[in-house]
Amino acid sequence: MARYTLWEAVAPCWHDVLFRTGMPADPSPQQASPRGWAVRPDVVEAIARRAAGETVSALAADLGIDRRNLSGRLTTAVPALLAPWLHDVPAWRLGREQGHSLGELAELYEVPEHLIGVALDGWPDPSPSPEDVAAEVLQLWRDGADLDGIAAQIEVPPARLRRWAQEGSVRLTPARLRTSEIVERFGWSHHMAALYRDSGVLPAPDGGKPPWWWSTTIARLERGTFTHQCEECGARLASAKGVAIHRGRVHGPAV
């Protein structure tokens, strides 16, 4: 069975961080065992728990560390802990393919078993189900987080979260409406939408860049504010004056 280089043996997720340290693809024992740097005990603990399948979010909450900060620490700490054994990583992959368990390799090379698994395979994918994260997703949505931010928080790909939302596996309620959707809903021109924004008839957005409003916010305005209607197109506006402006700009002067 062919021998592996370090780059072939190690999980691809570690390529960038090793490349930044100047590590060659097939290092000598001296090159592959650079002097590592101290890793905080709580991060060492987090690596072991993350390797066992816990999510970064859960670990960050439990350890009182910012999630993004912890994620970065894990990424840089693993190569530091692996430093004394980097030259052995190709042998680990070969040994596993020959039928040796991670436990056997850990005993032979005197290395924590979970480090071998992380070196060869990267972090485990917790793969939460929609049911596992539905409550958290809904709370984050109602707190104003966008979909990409929610996906990062629950550690699933954004495309997967969007698919769950489209399928109804997770609820994103109330809905959020962009300016274009409000314009279409009420039959406004963009000029009228700008007038209503500037005058405060349309309140400040509930969040977002680009801005959005909760559907419940717009529903309240629809019932109590936009009660005047254009006879020609059905557009709903806040006043008779607004109808006149709308008709002049959209339908032209009355004949």
Side-chain angles (χ1 to χ4, degrees):
M1 188 173 291
R3 174 185 174 276
Y4 290 101
T5 66
L6 172 63
W7 245 238
E8 292 168 338
V10 76
C13 64
W14 305 118
H15 285 180
D16 283 348
V17 66
L18 290 173
F19 178 80
R20 289 196 296 270
T21 67
M23 187 66 57
D26 194 16
S28 67
Q30 293 75 25
Q31 291 171 314
S33 300
R35 183 173 180 176
W37 59 90
V39 179
R40 287 173 38 170
D42 57 347
V43 177
V44 174
E45 176 191 352
I47 288 171
R49 292 171 60 180
R50 180 73 180 91
E54 292 189 52
T55 67
V56 176
S57 297
L59 288 170
D62 188 43
L63 298 174
I65 302 174
D66 177 76
R67 189 194 68 81
R68 293 179 183 272
N69 193 1
L70 178 59
S71 182
R73 291 183 190 180
L74 295 178
T75 298
T76 56
V78 167
L81 294 181
L82 283 172
W85 298 283
L86 275 176
H87 184 67
D88 297 320
V89 173
W92 295 350
R93 181 167 289 281
L94 190 61
R96 189 172 67 174
E97 291 185 358
Q98 291 172 339
H100 296 286
S101 69
L102 295 187
E104 291 171 336
L105 294 171
E107 184 176 358
L108 177 63
Y109 288 91
E110 298 182 343
V111 56
E113 182 177 336
H114 68 271
L115 280 182
I116 298 180
V118 170
L120 298 181
D121 301 320
W123 299 117
D125 180 6
S127 296
S129 69
E131 293 76 16
D132 293 333
V133 298
E136 183 179 5
V137 167
L138 183 59
Q139 186 59 57
L140 289 168
W141 176 260
R142 291 180 175 178
D143 287 343
D146 61 22
L147 276 177
D148 286 350
I150 295 173
Q153 187 76 9
I154 65 172
E155 299 182 40
V156 302
R160 184 184 304 174
L161 178 58
R162 287 185 172 87
R163 186 179 72 251
W164 288 348
Q166 291 169 354
E167 295 170 349
S169 303
V170 297
R171 295 174 59 222
L172 300 177
T173 57
R176 297 173 181 176
L177 300 177
R178 305 287 187 186
T179 302
S180 59
E181 294 170 306
I182 296 172
V183 165
E184 182 178 358
R185 177 170 178 155
F186 292 116
W188 298 342
S189 65
H190 286 279
H191 171 77
M192 183 59 69
L195 286 178
Y196 280 156
R197 282 286 304 274
D198 292 343
S199 64
V201 174
L202 184 63
D206 290 311
K209 292 183 178 180
W212 52 261
W213 290 258
W214 295 119
S215 60
T216 48
T217 299
I218 302 305
R220 286 194 296 269
L221 290 171
E222 186 171 14
R223 290 191 301 268
T225 302
F226 301 123
T227 56
H228 293 71
Q229 192 166 13
C230 173
E231 295 178 356
E232 296 188 47
C233 67
R236 284 166 289 172
L237 300 117
S239 66
K241 181 179 178 181
V243 172
I245 294 173
H246 164 83
R247 292 184 63 182
R249 294 190 64 89
V250 175
H251 305 296
V255 179

